[in-house]
Amino acid sequence: MSTAILTGAPVAGSSLQDDLRSLGFDVRTAIDAAGVATELAAVPPRERVALVDHRFVGHGHALRLALTDPRFPAAAVSGALTAQPEARAALDRAVMAAAA
């Protein structure tokens, strides 16, 4: 399974969590950079992971294209990024640097 980490508390009335779940993501929430690092560390390194701004506004189709396209080890759109297993080390380093 893939995991999506929202970088903040979900906006009331937003369908973002449901949209991510419909794409096959287990959705977790982190309130700050340290929380993102903690949640990321809990995701097995062989899983795809996405970091999504809790204020993300976009069509579900754009989210699907950005976060689930298997052709690229990492991809991003404004407010969301994803890393497949081969790109996880780079993502882990970037998140740890931001949390420090």
Side-chain angles (χ1 to χ4, degrees):
M1 175 173 258
S2 301
T3 299
I5 301 169
L6 292 180
T7 59
V11 175
S14 170
S15 66
L16 182 57
Q17 289 179 300
D18 291 336
D19 292 343
L20 290 166
R21 286 187 185 101
S22 74
L23 295 173
F25 287 93
D26 173 37
V27 181
R28 301 177 186 184
T29 301
I31 302 303
D32 56 19
V36 170
T38 299
E39 289 294 338
L40 185 59
V43 177
R46 299 304 310 162
E47 283 187 16
R48 173 192 297 269
V49 67
L51 300 182
V52 182
D53 188 311
H54 68 285
R55 300 163 296 186
F56 179 87
V57 176
H59 194 278
H61 181 67
L63 203 57
R64 180 183 63 78
L65 288 173
L67 301 183
T68 65
D69 190 330
R71 296 176 295 169
F72 308 103
V77 294
S78 186
L81 64 87
T82 187
Q84 292 193 59
E86 57 269 30
R88 281 287 304 275
L91 177 61
D92 292 347
R93 285 191 304 272
V95 168
M96 294 307 289

